[in-house]
Amino acid sequence: MMTETLTREGMKYIVARLLDNANDAAEEYGRDKDNKFQAGRRSAYYEMLDILRTELDVRDEDLKEFGLDIDLEGNFA
């Protein structure tokens, strides 16, 4: 079994992918607000990004560096 340490750049990449997917989910929800799956998908991305933002914040990380200096509630909640 290969063991790797998650690098800062690796973490930024993961967050960027989540943000891209979250934006797609928000756009799809915007096109069909009655679709419960799309609403749940958008909410799930909000929850993941909120957890990441909180964990980075309590570790005094620069949220802007990770692309999480945005209004999550306005975009995804």
Side-chain angles (χ1 to χ4, degrees):
M1 183 170 139
M2 179 186 271
T3 303
E4 289 187 28
T5 302
L6 183 61
T7 65
R8 183 175 210 80
E9 292 307 311
M11 185 65 178
K12 287 182 196 177
Y13 174 76
I14 291 168
V15 172
R17 292 219 36 221
L18 287 171
L19 283 166
D20 285 343
N21 289 343
N23 283 319
D24 290 345
E27 287 176 15
E28 289 175 21
Y29 172 75
R31 288 192 292 269
D32 186 5
K33 292 188 179 188
D34 292 329
N35 186 319
K36 291 183 188 222
F37 173 79
Q38 295 303 339
R41 184 171 173 240
R42 183 184 73 148
S43 293
Y45 277 109
Y46 165 78
E47 291 295 331
M48 287 185 281
L49 292 169
D50 186 54
I51 290 167
L52 284 169
R53 182 175 63 181
T54 299
E55 292 300 321
L56 290 168
D57 192 39
V58 298
R59 289 166 175 75
D60 293 323
E61 294 291 340
D62 181 7
L63 296 179
K64 186 173 185 172
E65 181 181 349
F66 289 88
L68 291 171
D69 60 328
I70 59 173
D71 177 19
L72 291 179
E73 291 79 11
N75 292 320
F76 306 114

